[in-house]
Amino acid sequence: MHIHAHLSYRVARECGLAHKTVIFVLDEFDLFAQGKQRLLYSLLDAMQSLTSQAVVIGVSSRLDADQLLEKRVRSRFSHRKLLFLPPSKEDLQRLLKHILELPTESSLPHFYVSEFNSSVLNILADERFKQLIDTLTTSDSTCSHLLKFLFSAVRHMNVETGLLSIDNFKAALASIQRQPKLECLNDCSILELYILVCMRRLEVKEQDSYNFNSVMKEYQSIHDSFQTSDYYSRNVCLRAFEHLLARELISFMDHRGHNQSIEFRSVKLLISYHELYQGLKSYRSCPAILQKLIDREG
């Protein structure tokens, strides 16, 4: 990463000297916000130079991607955003039809293409399929997630008939939903879920940094506002907090401050909103208030 940061800095500098503009497009921008963020810092720092003519475009499905940035990086960030809404149900149906249907002019036998496309139309019109798509897009409505789902469905297709079925899409959804972090969430205690939701709320509030003490204030605020029955002592909360650190659902912001008490070290979530939302939804005895709170943050 250090080499890439140095290279990007030189590219921006050389283009500036040559009076040329270079555009850096960082897909899955939130992943670049992990670790020490050297690449982002170097790029944005280079853009502060008078000789630099560069644009950095970050693309992410996370609305809070810019909140993951360190202070030194965020201070160089323009904070200009373009938000793209997910497709409507009608647009989604057209997209699914376009992706799944076979072209009529192909090397495949005409009767097979006709039968395959007919089965696709029947599936698209099936209410069970629509419910599967609703479940899929509720947690993540990005095109990449949709394509992953469709590829998985095709992989489950019966090779003897060569046709897709509702069961193929059910299997695809089940395989996508089997994610390690979601499984970790299912093993969490109610208190640990409260802590994760509190951290999510702090991030939505655009709090630059927060620690265990900040989380406890948010936890107290939820209890005071809704008079929840799930209220635990500070020591119990600290043990739950340490458990989340051990499970790597949360982590410290950096490796500094080893001599500091855990309560004072800045932390961050290692799960996305979509993962947390889906985890709460699938948790058997999830308190209704947590579902309500996470719905508000979506």
Side-chain angles (χ1 to χ4, degrees):
M1 183 64 79
H2 180 68
I3 295 173
H4 293 163
H6 181 66
L7 178 62
S8 61
Y9 184 89
R10 288 191 60 185
V11 169
R13 183 174 178 275
E14 292 299 323
C15 287
L17 293 173
H19 302 289
K20 293 181 179 179
T21 301
V22 60
I23 300 175
F24 296 95
V25 180
L26 306 180
D27 196 14
E28 297 194 74
F29 181 75
D30 49 291
L31 298 182
F32 288 90
Q34 296 179 3
K36 295 185 178 180
Q37 304 182 10
R38 285 199 186 108
L39 177 62
L40 290 177
Y41 178 77
S42 296
L43 278 175
L44 297 174
D45 190 54
M47 292 173 63
Q48 304 292 316
S49 169
L50 294 175
T51 60
S52 173
Q53 298 184 67
V55 177
V56 177
I57 300 174
V59 182
S60 176
S61 59
R62 288 190 61 165
L63 292 176
D64 62 342
D66 59 318
Q67 300 306 314
L68 303 174
L69 300 176
E70 294 179 355
K71 284 185 179 179
R72 62 172 187 158
V73 178
R74 194 181 302 176
S75 65
R76 290 165 170 77
F77 187 61
S78 67
H79 296 283
R80 282 179 287 183
K81 295 182 183 179
L82 287 176
L83 299 180
F84 297 93
L85 296 175
S88 65
K89 289 188 176 181
E90 293 75 18
D91 289 338
L92 192 57
Q93 280 289 98
R94 284 193 289 269
L95 179 61
L96 288 167
K97 182 175 181 292
H98 175 73
I99 294 173
L100 291 173
E101 278 192 332
L102 294 174
T104 52
E105 296 180 2
S106 69
S107 58
L108 295 170
H110 178 72
F111 75 89
Y112 172 70
V113 172
S114 178
E115 187 178 3
F116 184 91
N117 289 344
S118 178
S119 69
V120 166
L121 291 177
N122 289 334
I123 290 171
L124 293 177
D126 195 310
E127 287 300 322
R128 293 173 297 170
F129 177 78
K130 292 178 181 179
Q131 289 176 3
L132 291 174
I133 294 298
D134 284 343
T135 301
L136 178 79
T137 54
T138 296
S139 62
D140 188 345
S141 59
T142 60
C143 286
S144 59
H145 190 59
L146 178 65
L147 288 173
K148 182 180 178 182
F149 166 70
L150 296 179
F151 277 125
S152 181
V154 171
R155 195 171 67 246
H156 286 91
M157 186 171 64
N158 188 323
V159 292
E160 292 183 3
T161 64
L163 301 175
L164 288 166
S165 68
I166 290 290
D167 288 338
N168 298 150
F169 292 97
K170 286 181 179 178
L173 184 62
S175 65
I176 284 179
Q177 289 179 329
R178 282 199 298 270
Q179 299 177 25
K181 287 182 180 178
L182 290 180
E183 291 173 5
C184 281
L185 284 173
N186 286 329
D187 292 333
C188 284
S189 66
I190 297 292
L191 175 56
E192 288 164 358
L193 295 181
Y194 266 98
I195 292 174
L196 292 172
V197 170
C198 286
M199 291 177 67
R200 167 65 190 175
R201 283 166 61 85
L202 290 172
E203 290 188 355
V204 170
K205 291 177 181 178
E206 300 187 1
Q207 191 159 324
D208 288 343
S209 64
Y210 56 87
N211 53 29
F212 174 75
N213 293 327
S214 311
V215 174
M216 285 299 94
K217 288 180 182 178
E218 187 66 26
Y219 179 55
Q220 181 70 51
S221 173
I222 291 174
H223 174 68
D224 293 343
S225 299
F226 301 97
Q227 294 300 307
T228 59
S229 58
D230 303 300
Y231 190 72
Y232 301 87
S233 69
R234 182 182 176 87
N235 286 338
V236 174
C237 290
L238 183 57
R239 287 200 297 272
F241 189 77
E242 291 171 339
H243 193 209
L244 290 173
L245 284 167
R247 284 175 170 269
E248 297 186 344
L249 290 172
I250 65 175
S251 74
F252 295 116
M253 286 291 288
D254 52 52
H255 298 293
R256 294 172 294 180
H258 284 295
N259 297 327
Q260 275 187 317
S261 175
I262 286 179
E263 294 100 313
F264 299 101
R265 293 184 65 182
S266 295
V267 290
K268 62 181 178 181
L269 278 172
L270 293 181
I271 57 173
S272 67
Y273 164 76
H274 299 304
E275 289 168 327
L276 183 55
Y277 177 90
Q278 196 62 40
L280 293 177
K281 190 175 179 181
S282 61
Y283 197 89
R284 287 185 179 180
S285 54
C286 180
I289 183 60
L290 289 183
Q291 290 278 9
K292 184 177 180 180
L293 290 172
I294 202 68
D295 282 339
R296 287 182 180 179
E297 309 302 343

